[in-house]
Amino acid sequence: MKSQVEIKDKKMIDEILNSVEYGTLALCSDNKPYSVPVNFVYNENIIYFHGAKKGKTKDYIKENNLASLSVVEPYSVIQSYFSSESGLACPATYFYKSVSCDGKIEFVLDYEEKVKALQLLMQKLQPEGKYLPLDNEVYQKHINVTEVFKLNIDELKGKLKLGQHLPKERFDMIIEYLNNRGYEIDKKTIEQMQASKVEENI
């Protein structure tokens, strides 16, 4: 099953990282796990994110800079009866794309790199612009009191679960139920299901 859901197309992995707005950062220190949601931006095999100068996240990273970031692009919840008439609960599932990034975190100390990271983050979250560029001196005080981190990625893995390996009968049954339910997320799910099925058959 692992090979069936693995994303092997690096371009698709990049698209997920460039579109998803936040992820869950997993840290560990003294055998104590800690996870925190972070806004992030992906650039040249680096994940940038920011935080406070003092706090638990920084303390954990100082003790152990090994980390993993998980991001999920969610699609529809699939009720058990969407793909089976058995009456069993086990066919219930949900569809998604996900990426996990493992590596080591560094503190960004260079002011120009901090500006670059925060500028990239703003371009991702506010692509329409309408703000002064981050290299404007008006931001200097704020940037100096903001901690910027970068996760240098050593390993990148992606998963895609959109029913692409289901038999045609079950696959078509799910699409029919999603069409009938008609949520906006269902319409997006159908588009992605059909695209993944085409790619699978190429």
Tab-separated table of all heavy atoms in Angstrom, residues 80-133:
chain	number	residue	atom	x	y	z
A	80	SER	N	-18.400	5.334	4.567
A	80	SER	CA	-18.221	3.908	4.248
A	80	SER	C	-19.134	3.447	3.115
A	80	SER	O	-18.728	2.645	2.269
A	80	SER	CB	-18.471	3.057	5.497
A	80	SER	OG	-19.799	3.239	5.972
A	81	TYR	N	-20.352	3.978	3.061
A	81	TYR	CA	-21.306	3.540	2.041
A	81	TYR	C	-21.080	4.216	0.691
A	81	TYR	O	-21.776	3.908	-0.272
A	81	TYR	CB	-22.745	3.788	2.515
A	81	TYR	CG	-23.035	5.203	2.956
A	81	TYR	CD1	-23.417	6.180	2.040
A	81	TYR	CD2	-22.923	5.563	4.298
A	81	TYR	CE1	-23.676	7.482	2.448
A	81	TYR	CE2	-23.178	6.868	4.704
A	81	TYR	CZ	-23.557	7.814	3.783
A	81	TYR	OH	-23.818	9.114	4.176
A	82	PHE	N	-20.089	5.121	0.617
A	82	PHE	CA	-19.765	5.752	-0.663
A	82	PHE	C	-19.099	4.772	-1.624
A	82	PHE	O	-19.108	4.979	-2.835
A	82	PHE	CB	-18.837	6.952	-0.454
A	82	PHE	CG	-19.530	8.232	-0.096
A	82	PHE	CD1	-20.751	8.230	0.559
A	82	PHE	CD2	-18.970	9.455	-0.418
A	82	PHE	CE1	-21.396	9.412	0.897
A	82	PHE	CE2	-19.607	10.653	-0.100
A	82	PHE	CZ	-20.821	10.625	0.568
A	83	SER	N	-18.474	3.729	-1.089
A	83	SER	CA	-17.749	2.808	-1.963
A	83	SER	C	-18.065	1.338	-1.703
A	83	SER	O	-17.444	0.463	-2.296
A	83	SER	CB	-16.237	3.020	-1.832
A	83	SER	OG	-15.789	2.644	-0.540
A	84	SER	N	-19.019	1.085	-0.798
A	84	SER	CA	-19.336	-0.306	-0.473
A	84	SER	C	-20.777	-0.427	0.001
A	84	SER	O	-21.305	0.467	0.667
A	84	SER	CB	-18.383	-0.812	0.619
A	84	SER	OG	-18.753	-2.090	1.056
A	85	GLU	N	-21.380	-1.534	-0.335
A	85	GLU	CA	-22.744	-1.826	0.133
A	85	GLU	C	-22.730	-2.916	1.198
A	85	GLU	O	-23.757	-3.504	1.507
A	85	GLU	CB	-23.614	-2.247	-1.057
A	85	GLU	CG	-23.797	-1.141	-2.089
A	85	GLU	CD	-24.597	-1.587	-3.306
A	85	GLU	OE1	-24.851	-2.816	-3.414
A	85	GLU	OE2	-24.952	-0.729	-4.129
A	86	SER	N	-21.560	-3.176	1.786
A	86	SER	CA	-21.421	-4.256	2.764
A	86	SER	C	-22.030	-3.914	4.113
A	86	SER	O	-22.307	-4.805	4.920
A	86	SER	CB	-19.942	-4.597	2.953
A	86	SER	OG	-19.262	-3.515	3.584
A	87	GLY	N	-22.186	-2.615	4.394
A	87	GLY	CA	-22.668	-2.199	5.709
A	87	GLY	C	-21.564	-2.122	6.750
A	87	GLY	O	-21.820	-1.790	7.909
A	88	LEU	N	-20.322	-2.417	6.358
A	88	LEU	CA	-19.194	-2.352	7.285
A	88	LEU	C	-18.660	-0.932	7.379
A	88	LEU	O	-18.773	-0.142	6.434
A	88	LEU	CB	-18.076	-3.292	6.813
A	88	LEU	CG	-18.429	-4.781	6.762
A	88	LEU	CD1	-17.261	-5.572	6.168
A	88	LEU	CD2	-18.777	-5.305	8.150
A	89	ALA	N	-18.054	-0.640	8.521
A	89	ALA	CA	-17.504	0.700	8.731
A	89	ALA	C	-16.150	0.889	8.062
A	89	ALA	O	-15.767	2.022	7.720
A	89	ALA	CB	-17.359	0.977	10.232
A	90	CYS	N	-15.413	-0.206	7.845
A	90	CYS	CA	-14.008	-0.082	7.431
A	90	CYS	C	-13.759	0.616	6.097
A	90	CYS	O	-12.661	1.166	5.916
A	90	CYS	CB	-13.323	-1.445	7.456
A	90	CYS	SG	-14.216	-2.760	6.633
A	91	PRO	N	-14.700	0.649	5.130
A	91	PRO	CA	-14.384	1.419	3.920
A	91	PRO	C	-14.350	2.937	4.129
A	91	PRO	O	-13.915	3.669	3.243
A	91	PRO	CB	-15.524	1.039	2.948
A	91	PRO	CG	-16.057	-0.252	3.462
A	91	PRO	CD	-15.929	-0.138	4.954
A	92	ALA	N	-14.814	3.422	5.284
A	92	ALA	CA	-14.790	4.871	5.548
A	92	ALA	C	-13.347	5.368	5.558
A	92	ALA	O	-12.459	4.725	6.123
A	92	ALA	CB	-15.463	5.180	6.879
A	93	THR	N	-13.115	6.514	4.950
A	93	THR	CA	-11.764	7.050	4.865
A	93	THR	C	-11.834	8.534	4.523
A	93	THR	O	-12.922	9.128	4.548
A	93	THR	CB	-10.942	6.279	3.802
A	93	THR	OG1	-9.575	6.690	3.863
A	93	THR	CG2	-11.494	6.501	2.401
A	94	TYR	N	-10.716	9.131	4.253
A	94	TYR	CA	-10.708	10.485	3.717
A	94	TYR	C	-9.586	10.581	2.698
A	94	TYR	O	-8.628	9.810	2.722
A	94	TYR	CB	-10.546	11.539	4.817
A	94	TYR	CG	-9.168	11.630	5.420
A	94	TYR	CD1	-8.268	12.595	4.998
A	94	TYR	CD2	-8.762	10.749	6.420
A	94	TYR	CE1	-6.996	12.687	5.541
A	94	TYR	CE2	-7.493	10.827	6.968
A	94	TYR	CZ	-6.621	11.793	6.522
A	94	TYR	OH	-5.360	11.868	7.054
A	95	PHE	N	-9.727	11.521	1.783
A	95	PHE	CA	-8.755	11.693	0.717
A	95	PHE	C	-7.880	12.914	1.005
A	95	PHE	O	-8.355	13.902	1.580
A	95	PHE	CB	-9.452	11.842	-0.628
A	95	PHE	CG	-10.051	10.555	-1.165
A	95	PHE	CD1	-10.948	10.584	-2.223
A	95	PHE	CD2	-9.710	9.324	-0.638
A	95	PHE	CE1	-11.490	9.415	-2.724
A	95	PHE	CE2	-10.249	8.150	-1.123
A	95	PHE	CZ	-11.136	8.193	-2.188
A	96	TYR	N	-6.630	12.850	0.576
A	96	TYR	CA	-5.691	13.924	0.892
A	96	TYR	C	-4.439	13.811	0.032
A	96	TYR	O	-4.164	12.775	-0.598
A	96	TYR	CB	-5.275	13.847	2.362
A	96	TYR	CG	-4.524	12.576	2.701
A	96	TYR	CD1	-3.138	12.515	2.596
A	96	TYR	CD2	-5.203	11.412	3.089
A	96	TYR	CE1	-2.439	11.348	2.874
A	96	TYR	CE2	-4.518	10.235	3.365
A	96	TYR	CZ	-3.140	10.213	3.260
A	96	TYR	OH	-2.453	9.042	3.524
A	97	LYS	N	-3.664	14.872	0.038
A	97	LYS	CA	-2.267	14.861	-0.380
A	97	LYS	C	-1.460	15.319	0.825
A	97	LYS	O	-1.910	16.212	1.564
A	97	LYS	CB	-2.012	15.811	-1.550
A	97	LYS	CG	-2.742	15.466	-2.835
A	97	LYS	CD	-2.465	16.524	-3.898
A	97	LYS	CE	-3.270	16.296	-5.155
A	97	LYS	NZ	-3.054	17.385	-6.157
A	98	SER	N	-0.302	14.767	1.042
A	98	SER	CA	0.508	15.187	2.189
A	98	SER	C	1.989	15.115	1.845
A	98	SER	O	2.403	14.387	0.943
A	98	SER	CB	0.217	14.315	3.420
A	98	SER	OG	0.700	12.999	3.221
A	99	VAL	N	2.764	15.887	2.594
A	99	VAL	CA	4.220	15.899	2.432
A	99	VAL	C	4.852	15.960	3.818
A	99	VAL	O	4.375	16.690	4.696
A	99	VAL	CB	4.696	17.106	1.598
A	99	VAL	CG1	6.225	17.153	1.549
A	99	VAL	CG2	4.136	17.050	0.179
A	100	SER	N	5.913	15.206	4.016
A	100	SER	CA	6.696	15.308	5.247
A	100	SER	C	8.131	15.684	4.886
A	100	SER	O	8.706	15.156	3.930
A	100	SER	CB	6.675	13.997	6.037
A	100	SER	OG	7.255	12.949	5.285
A	101	CYS	N	8.670	16.623	5.649
A	101	CYS	CA	10.022	17.150	5.414
A	101	CYS	C	10.855	16.909	6.665
A	101	CYS	O	10.540	17.445	7.727
A	101	CYS	CB	9.986	18.652	5.131
A	101	CYS	SG	8.739	19.181	3.939
A	102	ASP	N	11.893	16.116	6.553
A	102	ASP	CA	12.774	15.839	7.678
A	102	ASP	C	14.124	16.510	7.459
A	102	ASP	O	14.644	16.533	6.340
A	102	ASP	CB	12.992	14.335	7.835
A	102	ASP	CG	11.706	13.580	8.128
A	102	ASP	OD1	10.749	14.227	8.595
A	102	ASP	OD2	11.659	12.359	7.878
A	103	GLY	N	14.686	17.048	8.535
A	103	GLY	CA	15.989	17.691	8.406
A	103	GLY	C	16.430	18.338	9.703
A	103	GLY	O	15.985	17.964	10.787
A	104	LYS	N	17.305	19.327	9.561
A	104	LYS	CA	17.852	20.038	10.717
A	104	LYS	C	17.512	21.522	10.626
A	104	LYS	O	17.541	22.107	9.546
A	104	LYS	CB	19.365	19.855	10.794
A	104	LYS	CG	19.798	18.420	11.026
A	104	LYS	CD	21.317	18.301	11.082
A	104	LYS	CE	21.739	16.862	11.315
A	104	LYS	NZ	23.232	16.715	11.334
A	105	ILE	N	17.185	22.096	11.778
A	105	ILE	CA	16.799	23.505	11.839
A	105	ILE	C	17.991	24.362	12.243
A	105	ILE	O	18.768	24.004	13.138
A	105	ILE	CB	15.642	23.716	12.840
A	105	ILE	CG1	14.391	22.975	12.362
A	105	ILE	CG2	15.340	25.202	13.003
A	105	ILE	CD1	13.215	23.096	13.308
A	106	GLU	N	18.122	25.499	11.582
A	106	GLU	CA	19.114	26.515	11.946
A	106	GLU	C	18.394	27.816	12.279
A	106	GLU	O	17.315	28.098	11.755
A	106	GLU	CB	20.071	26.788	10.783
A	106	GLU	CG	20.962	25.638	10.381
A	106	GLU	CD	21.864	26.029	9.219
A	106	GLU	OE1	22.143	27.239	9.070
A	106	GLU	OE2	22.265	25.140	8.459
A	107	PHE	N	19.013	28.616	13.136
A	107	PHE	CA	18.531	29.968	13.377
A	107	PHE	C	19.076	30.859	12.272
A	107	PHE	O	20.269	30.814	11.964
A	107	PHE	CB	18.998	30.483	14.735
A	107	PHE	CG	18.480	29.690	15.899
A	107	PHE	CD1	19.276	28.738	16.513
A	107	PHE	CD2	17.195	29.894	16.364
A	107	PHE	CE1	18.802	28.005	17.581
A	107	PHE	CE2	16.710	29.169	17.441
A	107	PHE	CZ	17.507	28.220	18.048
A	108	VAL	N	18.223	31.653	11.665
A	108	VAL	CA	18.673	32.586	10.629
A	108	VAL	C	19.177	33.840	11.330
A	108	VAL	O	18.399	34.600	11.921
A	108	VAL	CB	17.534	32.926	9.646
A	108	VAL	CG1	18.033	33.939	8.606
A	108	VAL	CG2	17.037	31.661	8.955
A	109	LEU	N	20.482	34.067	11.261
A	109	LEU	CA	21.105	35.197	11.949
A	109	LEU	C	21.363	36.376	11.021
A	109	LEU	O	21.385	37.523	11.469
A	109	LEU	CB	22.413	34.745	12.610
A	109	LEU	CG	22.289	33.575	13.601
A	109	LEU	CD1	23.673	33.200	14.136
A	109	LEU	CD2	21.335	33.921	14.736
A	110	ASP	N	21.569	36.092	9.762
A	110	ASP	CA	21.846	37.144	8.796
A	110	ASP	C	20.580	37.962	8.524
A	110	ASP	O	19.533	37.408	8.173
A	110	ASP	CB	22.355	36.528	7.491
A	110	ASP	CG	22.654	37.581	6.441
A	110	ASP	OD1	23.672	38.272	6.579
A	110	ASP	OD2	21.846	37.713	5.497
A	111	TYR	N	20.668	39.270	8.689
A	111	TYR	CA	19.491	40.136	8.549
A	111	TYR	C	18.900	40.046	7.138
A	111	TYR	O	17.676	39.972	6.978
A	111	TYR	CB	19.847	41.588	8.876
A	111	TYR	CG	18.661	42.531	8.826
A	111	TYR	CD1	17.806	42.647	9.918
A	111	TYR	CD2	18.400	43.285	7.683
A	111	TYR	CE1	16.708	43.496	9.872
A	111	TYR	CE2	17.317	44.139	7.632
A	111	TYR	CZ	16.461	44.239	8.720
A	111	TYR	OH	15.363	45.072	8.667
A	112	GLU	N	19.736	40.038	6.130
A	112	GLU	CA	19.240	39.994	4.750
A	112	GLU	C	18.501	38.696	4.465
A	112	GLU	O	17.493	38.688	3.738
A	112	GLU	CB	20.400	40.176	3.764
A	112	GLU	CG	21.084	41.529	3.843
A	112	GLU	CD	20.102	42.676	3.616
A	112	GLU	OE1	19.229	42.547	2.737
A	112	GLU	OE2	20.225	43.704	4.313
A	113	GLU	N	18.975	37.596	5.036
A	113	GLU	CA	18.275	36.323	4.833
A	113	GLU	C	16.931	36.317	5.576
A	113	GLU	O	15.956	35.747	5.096
A	113	GLU	CB	19.132	35.139	5.282
A	113	GLU	CG	18.489	33.795	4.904
A	113	GLU	CD	19.359	32.589	5.236
A	113	GLU	OE1	20.447	32.776	5.821
A	113	GLU	OE2	18.937	31.461	4.914
A	114	LYS	N	16.899	36.962	6.741
A	114	LYS	CA	15.629	37.082	7.455
A	114	LYS	C	14.620	37.867	6.620
A	114	LYS	O	13.446	37.485	6.512
A	114	LYS	CB	15.838	37.772	8.814
A	114	LYS	CG	16.593	36.939	9.826
A	114	LYS	CD	16.842	37.698	11.118
A	114	LYS	CE	15.586	37.805	11.962
A	114	LYS	NZ	15.870	38.393	13.300
A	115	VAL	N	15.082	38.952	6.023
A	115	VAL	CA	14.219	39.758	5.155
A	115	VAL	C	13.711	38.913	3.994
A	115	VAL	O	12.516	38.919	3.663
A	115	VAL	CB	14.969	41.004	4.630
A	115	VAL	CG1	14.166	41.688	3.520
A	115	VAL	CG2	15.230	41.977	5.763
A	116	LYS	N	14.610	38.163	3.380
A	116	LYS	CA	14.237	37.302	2.252
A	116	LYS	C	13.173	36.297	2.667
A	116	LYS	O	12.169	36.102	1.959
A	116	LYS	CB	15.480	36.563	1.743
A	116	LYS	CG	15.174	35.487	0.708
A	116	LYS	CD	16.411	34.658	0.406
A	116	LYS	CE	16.067	33.446	-0.459
A	116	LYS	NZ	17.257	32.589	-0.727
A	117	ALA	N	13.384	35.648	3.814
A	117	ALA	CA	12.442	34.634	4.280
A	117	ALA	C	11.063	35.227	4.544
A	117	ALA	O	10.032	34.669	4.138
A	117	ALA	CB	12.980	33.970	5.543
A	118	LEU	N	11.027	36.362	5.229
A	118	LEU	CA	9.750	36.991	5.555
A	118	LEU	C	9.067	37.551	4.310
A	118	LEU	O	7.834	37.537	4.202
A	118	LEU	CB	9.969	38.087	6.600
A	118	LEU	CG	10.475	37.571	7.960
A	118	LEU	CD1	10.867	38.735	8.855
A	118	LEU	CD2	9.412	36.709	8.636
A	119	GLN	N	9.865	38.028	3.357
A	119	GLN	CA	9.309	38.509	2.091
A	119	GLN	C	8.669	37.344	1.320
A	119	GLN	O	7.567	37.477	0.770
A	119	GLN	CB	10.395	39.165	1.248
A	119	GLN	CG	9.913	39.749	-0.079
A	119	GLN	CD	9.051	40.987	0.097
A	119	GLN	OE1	9.250	41.781	1.008
A	119	GLN	NE2	8.064	41.140	-0.779
A	120	LEU	N	9.343	36.202	1.283
A	120	LEU	CA	8.793	35.025	0.613
A	120	LEU	C	7.501	34.564	1.283
A	120	LEU	O	6.543	34.160	0.600
A	120	LEU	CB	9.825	33.886	0.630
A	120	LEU	CG	11.034	34.043	-0.289
A	120	LEU	CD1	12.090	32.989	0.040
A	120	LEU	CD2	10.604	33.924	-1.750
A	121	LEU	N	7.476	34.645	2.607
A	121	LEU	CA	6.274	34.251	3.334
A	121	LEU	C	5.108	35.177	3.001
A	121	LEU	O	3.974	34.718	2.786
A	121	LEU	CB	6.552	34.256	4.840
A	121	LEU	CG	5.438	33.716	5.744
A	121	LEU	CD1	5.134	32.264	5.423
A	121	LEU	CD2	5.817	33.856	7.208
A	122	MET	N	5.375	36.469	2.942
A	122	MET	CA	4.322	37.424	2.582
A	122	MET	C	3.843	37.195	1.149
A	122	MET	O	2.633	37.265	0.865
A	122	MET	CB	4.822	38.857	2.732
A	122	MET	CG	4.845	39.367	4.153
A	122	MET	SD	3.207	39.406	4.927
A	122	MET	CE	2.328	40.565	3.859
A	123	GLN	N	4.739	36.897	0.241
A	123	GLN	CA	4.353	36.645	-1.153
A	123	GLN	C	3.453	35.423	-1.254
A	123	GLN	O	2.551	35.372	-2.096
A	123	GLN	CB	5.604	36.458	-2.011
A	123	GLN	CG	6.397	37.736	-2.229
A	123	GLN	CD	7.734	37.497	-2.904
A	123	GLN	OE1	8.129	36.352	-3.142
A	123	GLN	NE2	8.451	38.570	-3.202
A	124	LYS	N	3.680	34.464	-0.383
A	124	LYS	CA	2.848	33.258	-0.383
A	124	LYS	C	1.469	33.532	0.207
A	124	LYS	O	0.444	33.122	-0.341
A	124	LYS	CB	3.543	32.149	0.412
A	124	LYS	CG	2.724	30.860	0.513
A	124	LYS	CD	3.456	29.817	1.339
A	124	LYS	CE	2.643	28.527	1.439
A	124	LYS	NZ	3.336	27.494	2.239
A	125	LEU	N	1.447	34.229	1.346
A	125	LEU	CA	0.197	34.431	2.073
A	125	LEU	C	-0.612	35.615	1.566
A	125	LEU	O	-1.824	35.685	1.762
A	125	LEU	CB	0.481	34.592	3.571
A	125	LEU	CG	1.185	33.415	4.256
A	125	LEU	CD1	1.419	33.711	5.725
A	125	LEU	CD2	0.380	32.132	4.098
A	126	GLN	N	0.064	36.568	0.920
A	126	GLN	CA	-0.628	37.759	0.392
A	126	GLN	C	-0.090	38.053	-1.010
A	126	GLN	O	0.590	39.058	-1.228
A	126	GLN	CB	-0.415	38.957	1.325
A	126	GLN	CG	-1.327	40.143	1.040
A	126	GLN	CD	-1.230	41.204	2.112
A	126	GLN	OE1	-1.317	40.895	3.302
A	126	GLN	NE2	-1.060	42.452	1.726
A	127	PRO	N	-0.390	37.174	-1.969
A	127	PRO	CA	0.181	37.308	-3.311
A	127	PRO	C	-0.266	38.559	-4.051
A	127	PRO	O	0.398	38.974	-5.010
A	127	PRO	CB	-0.309	36.043	-4.032
A	127	PRO	CG	-1.522	35.602	-3.266
A	127	PRO	CD	-1.247	35.986	-1.847
A	128	GLU	N	-1.362	39.179	-3.595
A	128	GLU	CA	-1.832	40.403	-4.255
A	128	GLU	C	-0.973	41.611	-3.899
A	128	GLU	O	-1.161	42.714	-4.452
A	128	GLU	CB	-3.293	40.688	-3.887
A	128	GLU	CG	-3.548	41.101	-2.448
A	128	GLU	CD	-3.728	39.944	-1.497
A	128	GLU	OE1	-3.293	38.812	-1.840
A	128	GLU	OE2	-4.290	40.146	-0.405
A	129	GLY	N	-0.028	41.444	-2.978
A	129	GLY	CA	0.839	42.564	-2.606
A	129	GLY	C	0.138	43.525	-1.655
A	129	GLY	O	-0.408	43.131	-0.636
A	130	LYS	N	0.171	44.834	-1.982
A	130	LYS	CA	-0.469	45.885	-1.183
A	130	LYS	C	0.196	46.056	0.182
A	130	LYS	O	-0.473	46.288	1.188
A	130	LYS	CB	-1.977	45.631	-1.034
A	130	LYS	CG	-2.716	45.589	-2.365
A	130	LYS	CD	-4.228	45.450	-2.163
A	130	LYS	CE	-4.937	45.427	-3.505
A	130	LYS	NZ	-6.398	45.326	-3.378
A	131	TYR	N	1.528	45.927	0.216
A	131	TYR	CA	2.287	46.194	1.438
A	131	TYR	C	3.680	46.675	1.033
A	131	TYR	O	4.160	46.389	-0.072
A	131	TYR	CB	2.395	44.937	2.313
A	131	TYR	CG	3.038	43.754	1.632
A	131	TYR	CD1	4.428	43.579	1.642
A	131	TYR	CD2	2.267	42.806	0.966
A	131	TYR	CE1	5.025	42.505	1.014
A	131	TYR	CE2	2.854	41.724	0.331
A	131	TYR	CZ	4.228	41.574	0.356
A	131	TYR	OH	4.811	40.508	-0.275
A	132	LEU	N	4.315	47.408	1.921
A	132	LEU	CA	5.681	47.857	1.676
A	132	LEU	C	6.617	46.655	1.698
A	132	LEU	O	6.483	45.784	2.561
A	132	LEU	CB	6.118	48.858	2.749
A	132	LEU	CG	5.448	50.236	2.734
A	132	LEU	CD1	5.872	51.025	3.982
A	132	LEU	CD2	5.823	51.015	1.468
A	133	PRO	N	7.579	46.564	0.787
A	133	PRO	CA	8.530	45.450	0.789
A	133	PRO	C	9.230	45.335	2.144
A	133	PRO	O	9.460	46.336	2.838
A	133	PRO	CB	9.512	45.821	-0.323
A	133	PRO	CG	8.736	46.717	-1.233
A	133	PRO	CD	7.813	47.493	-0.336
